[in-house]
Amino acid sequence: NIRDENDKTIVDQSVKAGETFEFDASALSKIRIRLGNSPGNTVTINEEVVEFKSPEVTQNAVIQFNK
């Protein structure tokens, strides 16, 4: 799921293998992305891949945007 800077859920859906999900976060200052299968997914923000250094399957990534 994706939560905004106020911890409000703004996206709550599963993405299946082979599917692509796009989300425009340009109006937000911070987001939290929770992945249920980190090793099996690729997260890209502004054409840059977000690296998940931990081998854990479920992970949270907090992204702060500089505006």
Side-chain angles (χ1 to χ4, degrees):
N1 67 26
I2 300 175
R3 293 180 177 258
D4 67 10
E5 58 268 3
N6 299 312
D7 204 33
K8 177 184 172 194
T9 301
I10 49 179
V11 175
D12 191 16
Q13 73 179 63
S14 296
V15 179
K16 296 178 181 166
E19 289 183 341
T20 299
F21 174 78
E22 292 187 19
F23 175 76
D24 182 1
S26 60
L28 302 171
S29 61
K30 180 172 90 171
I31 59 172
R32 183 190 70 124
I33 301 171
R34 181 172 178 84
L35 294 176
N37 182 15
S38 304
N41 289 286
T42 302
V43 175
T44 306
I45 297 176
N46 296 335
E47 300 180 12
E48 287 188 41
V49 174
V50 176
E51 291 187 38
F52 292 90
K53 307 237 182 226
S54 171
E56 297 297 321
V57 173
T58 301
Q59 293 190 46
N60 293 303
V62 177
I63 296 113
Q64 179 79 42
F65 300 106
N66 295 322
K67 294 186 175 208

